[in-house]
Amino acid sequence: MSAIAQKIRFFRRRIPSFECIPGCHDCCGPVTTSSFEIAELPVKTEAQHEAALAELSCPYLAEKGCEVYDDRPIICRLFGTTPRLLCPHGKRPEEMIDAELDMEIQEFFLSTRQVLL
Ligand code: SF4
Ligand code: SF4
């Protein structure tokens, strides 16, 4: 496994999880992710990307929610766990993300090519 893949796995494991409002996906929208993470997701056509963007949505958001939930990017997991990305409904983990880890993730984002989902 490459060093980047290991780093992504490390971040994913350490981001705290929490329970969302069932059926809610209000924080899904046009988000960017590293080219490494998008390479793991099923390819969407240009038309699917454009249709999602026109609705300010995400091409992986289906009627029943995120269709790539288990492989969703770091940014999707981060939402609601950091003061920078608070859930509009007040949902959060018992303990927010460790500040140092949050900073490491920001540095990772800045050091990798980011692609619109
Ligand atoms: S974090 Fe908040 S806005 Fe996002 S899905 Fe969960 S409950 Fe909904
Ligand atoms: S990948 Fe999934 S969780 Fe992330 S924005 Fe798209 S639909 Fe939402």
Side-chain angles (χ1 to χ4, degrees):
M1 188 186 290
S2 71
I4 294 270
Q6 278 178 14
K7 194 176 256 199
I8 290 169
R9 186 180 277 197
F10 171 79
F11 289 149
R12 286 182 177 182
R13 278 208 192 117
R14 294 200 52 208
I15 295 172
S17 57
F18 61 98
E19 273 194 38
C20 285
I21 297 170
C24 178
H25 38 71
D26 289 352
C27 57
C28 294
V31 296
T32 57
T33 186
S34 67
S35 49
F36 302 99
E37 290 185 279
I38 204 166
E40 290 180 352
L41 302 178
V43 176
K44 293 287 179 182
T45 63
E46 196 63 32
Q48 287 172 313
H49 281 285
E50 279 172 15
L53 191 57
E55 292 182 356
L56 294 182
S57 185
C58 168
Y60 297 101
L61 183 58
E63 212 165 293
K64 288 186 176 167
C66 177
E67 61 182 33
V68 292
Y69 192 78
D70 289 343
D71 296 316
R72 68 197 189 287
I74 291 171
I75 187 71
C76 307
R77 296 161 195 260
L78 203 55
F79 202 93
T81 71
T82 164
R84 293 176 300 95
L85 295 169
L86 289 174
C87 165
H89 306 298
K91 294 289 180 183
R92 49 163 289 171
E94 212 172 293
E95 278 198 33
M96 297 294 263
I97 191 169
D98 173 77
E100 205 170 303
L101 177 66
D102 196 13
M103 196 174 289
E104 273 182 55
I105 292 176
Q106 291 318 300
E107 283 165 9
F108 171 73
F109 288 160
L110 291 173
S111 68
T112 52
R113 190 166 74 87
Q114 296 288 304
V115 183
L116 185 66
L117 274 187

